[in-house]
Amino acid sequence: MSAPTRRLTTAQALVRFLSAQYTERDGVRRRLIAGTWGIFGHGNVAGVGQALVEYADVMPFHQGRNEQSMVHAAVGHARQLNRLSAQAVTTSIGPGATNLVTGAALATVNRLPVLLLPGDYFASHAPDPLLQQLEHPVEADVSVNDTLRPVSRYFDRITRPEALIPSALQAMRVLADPAETGAVTLALPQDVQAEAYDWPEEFFAERVWYVRRPAPDPVELAAAVEAIRSAERPLIVAGGGVHHSEAEEALRTLVDATGIPVSSTQAGKGSLRHDHPADLGGIGHTGTAVSDGLARTADLVIGVGTRHTDFTTASGTLFQNPDVRFLNLNITGFDAHKLAARPLVCDARTGLEQLAGALAGHRVSEAYEAEYRTGKEHWAEVVETAFRAGDDNAVPTQTQVLGALDAVAGDEDVVINAAGSLPGDLHKLWRARSPRQYHLEYGYSCMGYEIPAAIGVQQAAPGTPVWALVGDGTYLMMPTEIVTAVQEGLPLNVVLIQNHGYASIGGLSEETGGERFGIAYRFRAADGTFTGDPLPVDLAANAASLGMHVLRAKTVGELRGALAAARASDRPTCVYVETDPAPTAPPAEAWWDVPVAETASREAAVEARARYDRKVADRRLHL
C-alpha cells in the first residue's frame, strides 16, 4: 500500500511545510518561520503569492516596500528572539532579487537567520530570454540570484518539485543551527513554483528543530580554568553570543563569584546591566576609557561569543601587554581559534556555567577590583556630564539627544541603530538596563537598517517601546518602511537627527586628509563650487507625508517633552530634532585602521599620513 500523498504546487507545498516548522530550546517552542514578507512581481506572484493567499490562515503575510528593508525587518525579528524564530522574504526575479543581497550579507555577517525566497527564471527555459534575464555567454544556468551565493549560508535552486524536499530540510537545519545560521536562499524558478506534485504527507508533519547547547570538551575546559586561575589581570569581552545563548545570568554569576571585569562589543552590550560593579562598557575604537585602559594591560582576554572584529581589537593595537594571551569561548571553532587563543568550543551559557563551577573559590585581587571600579566611577561622571550638560533652552547636541532618551526610556525599551556617528556615542555612553535594550547592528553597519529592524522587533515583542535612532543620511537611505509601520499599526518611534551631513564619515574624512570632500549637504553654485549653506530639505515633512505623526523639537527641553509624548503614543511617531553639529562625545580611546594616501600634495593628507604611520607601528600579531 503506497504512502498517502497530497497534490499541491511546489509553492503551496513550501508554504505548508514552513508553517509546520518549530524550534525548541530549554523546553520553549517557537515557530521557526513566523511569517513571510513579500513584494510581488512576475517571478513570484503566481506561485508563492498564490500559495500565501491559499494558506493565509497558517502563514502570516507582511507587505514590504523595499526588498532590502524586508530582510532588515526579518533580521530585527530574529535578533529580538535570540535567533529562535525567523521570517521568510519573497521577491520577484530581477531587481527585486538583487535588492536582497545587502540584507543577506548583513544577516550572514551577524549570524542571524533569515529565509530568502526569490523567484527565478523558467527551469524549462521555455521563454528564453525572459524579462529581466541575465544572459551569460558560457553559463546558461546562471541567474542574478547567484549574487546571493557568497552571502548565504545555504543556497539552492529548486529546478524540480521533488528537489524541494531535501533542500527545504537542509534550509531549516541551517536556520536553526546556532553555529551555522545566517541567510538561507532557496531560488524558485517561476514554472516550478506553479507545477503540481504528489507530496508525501510526512513532509507536512510538525517538525521540531532542537537548538543545541553543546558542552565544552573536558580537556579544553581544564586548560581554560588553568589559564584563568593563573591570570592576574583577566578581562572578559562579551559579544553577541552571550545574548543569542541567553547567557546573561550565567555571565553575572561567574563575574559575581570571580570579580573578573566585563567589557562588551557592540553586539554584546547589555550582557551585564550598566550599573553592575564589573561592567566597564564598550571596548575597542568606540569603547570607554576604563575598558580600553584595562584592555591594554590585561594578561588574559576571555572572549565570550565575540568575533573579535577590527573595531573591537582597535585594528590589532589594543591589547598591549607583552604577556597577553587569549581564551575564546565560542560555539564555532572558527571564532574560538582567533588571535591564537585557547579555544573553548561550546554554547555560551553552558560554558560559562561550567567555568563558574570549576573556578569555585577563585577571585581576582582586591587591588585589581578597586582599580577598575574606580575607573568605572570616573567614566560614569563623564557620561553624566555628556548627557545632562547644557541649557534646556539650547539647541541640543547629539549626546544630549541620547541623554534625553535615557531619561525617558524604560528598562524594557529597545534602542536600535546601525551606522554613522551614533554607534560610537551609544557604545561609549548608553546605559543598557536589560539584555535586549541595546540593539546595534554593527557587524555590517548598514545605513537604512534601523526603521525596518524596529518593525521586526515590534512584531517579535508586541507592546515593547522601540526607538529607531537615525541620522539624516541614514534616513534618506531607506524611509520607505514607515508606510509599512503605518499599515500594520505599529507604534514605531523614530528619532530623526538632522545635522545636514554625514557626521561620522565627515570627521573620518578630515582625519585621513579628505577634508570632508563630498560629505555635507550643500548648495552647488553655478560655477560648480559648493557653498556653506545647508540644503533646504525638510525631512520631518517627508516623514509626515509617509503617515507618521511628527513632533518637532528645537531645544533640549522641547526634546524631552517630545520623546515622552512619543513613548506614550499608540501610533507611529517621529521626533525630529536639528542638533548642534559640534561633536560633544568623548573622543575615541583607541585607534581604527583606515589607510591614508602614502603620497599626496595636499598638506592635510601629508599630515594625516604621518599620524597614520605612528599609529600603525603599534599593531601586534597575536601568535
Side-chain angles (χ1 to χ4, degrees):
M1 182 175 178
S2 61
T5 60
R6 191 186 314 186
R7 190 162 183 81
L8 301 173
T9 68
T10 303
Q12 291 165 353
L14 176 59
V15 172
R16 288 297 304 185
F17 169 82
L18 294 177
S19 70
Q21 308 303 302
Y22 295 84
T23 64
E24 185 172 316
R25 186 171 71 181
D26 304 330
V28 178
R29 184 172 295 190
R30 295 184 182 275
R31 277 277 295 263
L32 176 51
I33 305 299
T36 299
W37 288 89
I39 296 176
F40 296 110
H42 68 89
N44 65 339
V45 67
V48 174
Q50 189 281 327
L52 289 168
V53 173
E54 188 95 5
Y55 298 119
D57 58 329
V58 295
M59 179 56 69
F61 173 72
H62 309 290
Q63 182 183 5
R65 268 72 191 178
N66 177 284
E67 291 85 1
Q68 180 180 322
S69 290
M70 295 193 296
V71 185
H72 293 337
V75 167
H77 169 99
R79 176 168 171 173
Q80 180 68 20
L81 295 176
N82 296 318
R83 308 192 299 187
L84 298 174
S85 180
Q87 293 177 321
V89 178
T90 181
T91 71
S92 178
I93 187 63
T98 51
N99 277 352
L100 295 173
V101 174
T102 297
L106 181 148
T108 295
V109 165
N110 286 285
R111 320 287 172 85
L112 292 166
V114 60
L115 177 62
L116 307 180
L117 304 173
D120 213 321
Y121 311 145
F122 281 63
S124 66
H125 287 228
D128 187 74
L130 187 69
L131 175 65
Q132 298 175 326
Q133 181 171 340
L134 174 71
E135 295 183 89
H136 196 284
V138 296
E139 296 180 84
D141 61 341
V142 166
S143 81
V144 295
N145 286 336
D146 287 275
T147 59
L148 289 161
R149 289 182 183 270
V151 292
S152 297
R153 294 291 290 170
Y154 179 80
F155 179 99
D156 196 11
R157 180 175 286 111
I158 311 302
T159 56
R160 291 292 308 144
E162 58 268 32
L164 176 66
I165 295 175
S167 187
L169 292 170
Q170 287 290 345
M172 298 304 103
R173 176 190 65 79
V174 173
L175 289 172
D177 190 317
E180 293 192 33
T181 195
V184 168
T185 300
L186 298 180
L188 303 171
Q190 296 178 54
D191 49 348
V192 178
Q193 288 182 48
E195 187 175 344
Y197 181 75
D198 293 323
W199 304 88
E201 280 290 343
E202 297 95 321
F203 186 55
F204 307 115
E206 284 192 5
R207 191 179 302 266
V208 179
W209 302 85
Y210 292 93
V211 181
R212 64 182 68 90
R213 289 193 179 278
D217 178 87
V219 174
E220 290 187 352
L221 179 63
V225 170
E226 174 59 28
I228 295 172
R229 285 187 178 276
S230 62
E232 294 183 0
R233 301 180 64 82
L235 173 67
I236 292 173
V237 177
V242 175
H243 295 311
H244 299 329
S245 178
E246 297 175 304
E248 297 90 357
E249 181 63 24
L251 176 64
R252 188 187 65 79
T253 298
L254 174 67
V255 170
D256 286 346
T258 63
I260 301 174
V262 176
S263 299
S264 56
T265 68
Q266 287 279 14
K269 194 173 172 76
S271 295
L272 291 180
R273 270 186 63 103
H274 75 93
D275 52 4
H276 189 285
D279 179 67
L280 307 184
I283 191 170
H285 178 65
T286 53
T288 67
V290 57
S291 183
D292 285 353
L294 228 63
R296 292 186 180 94
T297 60
D299 58 359
L300 180 67
V301 178
I302 308 166
V304 182
T306 176
R307 298 185 294 124
H308 287 297
T309 59
D310 185 30
F311 255 57
T312 298
T313 65
S315 302
T317 64
L318 184 58
F319 306 110
Q320 286 296 314
N321 187 325
D323 299 320
V324 67
R325 293 294 181 265
F326 297 85
L327 166 65
N328 287 338
L329 190 165
N330 204 290
I331 200 165
T332 73
F334 180 83
D335 291 314
H337 284 83
K338 288 178 178 175
L339 300 175
R342 292 180 183 270
L344 190 60
V345 182
C346 59
D347 168 72
R349 193 173 84 179
T350 302
L352 289 169
E353 288 172 346
Q354 293 199 16
L355 276 177
L359 288 166
H362 174 73
R363 193 168 184 87
V364 300
S365 70
E366 291 182 2
Y368 187 48
E369 282 195 76
E371 177 188 341
Y372 71 68
R373 290 190 181 197
T374 299
K376 177 180 174 65
E377 291 172 2
H378 289 163
W379 188 256
E381 295 172 0
V382 171
V383 173
E384 190 65 26
T385 299
F387 277 3
R388 309 296 179 220
D391 183 349
D392 274 9
N393 296 317
V395 174
T397 64
Q398 183 163 283
T399 53
Q400 287 173 323
V401 172
L402 299 183
L405 182 58
D406 172 80
V408 168
D411 288 10
E412 69 276 21
D413 292 30
V414 178
V415 175
I416 301 177
N417 187 243
S421 58
L422 277 166
D425 292 357
L426 285 161
H427 200 206
K428 292 189 197 81
L429 302 174
W430 188 260
R431 302 187 282 210
R433 287 166 273 176
S434 63
R436 292 287 87 196
Q437 183 175 78
Y438 188 86
H439 184 130
L440 261 284
E441 188 291 292
Y442 215 57
Y444 209 49
S445 188
C446 184
M447 296 176 73
Y449 171 83
E450 295 90 343
I451 293 173
I455 292 173
V457 169
Q458 289 200 311
Q459 290 175 332
T464 298
V466 180
W467 303 88
L469 273 58
V470 294
D472 44 40
T474 290
Y475 177 83
L476 286 168
M477 288 280 184
M478 204 166 292
T480 51
E481 297 316 306
I482 287 174
V483 178
T484 301
V486 172
Q487 181 181 36
E488 300 236 345
L490 298 172
L492 166 68
N493 295 315
V494 173
V495 180
L496 175 50
I497 299 173
Q498 171 65 281
N499 59 19
H500 301 286
Y502 298 95
S504 174
I505 296 301
L508 183 62
S509 172
E510 289 182 334
E511 179 67 20
T512 57
E515 303 172 81
R516 302 190 71 87
F517 175 74
I519 301 299
Y521 305 141
R522 297 169 293 173
F523 279 119
R524 186 189 290 271
D527 62 0
T529 60
F530 287 105
T531 73
D533 301 320
L535 293 172
V537 296
D538 189 343
L539 300 184
N542 177 265
S545 75
L546 297 176
M548 294 202 95
H549 176 53
V550 175
L551 302 171
R552 296 176 184 257
K554 295 182 178 179
T555 67
V556 173
E558 289 179 5
L559 176 63
R560 291 198 191 101
L563 292 171
R567 191 174 189 275
S569 177
D570 61 357
R571 58 185 291 195
T573 303
C574 172
V575 176
Y576 175 85
V577 55
E578 293 197 38
T579 57
D580 183 336
T584 54
E589 294 289 337
W591 186 60
W592 180 39
D593 189 349
V594 178
V596 177
E598 192 168 0
T599 63
S601 59
R602 299 183 65 82
E603 183 178 353
V606 172
E607 293 176 353
R609 179 66 194 196
R611 292 193 298 269
Y612 177 82
D613 288 338
R614 289 192 296 270
K615 291 290 188 180
V616 80
D618 293 332
R619 175 179 285 135
R620 293 183 61 187
L621 291 177
H622 298 285
L623 298 173

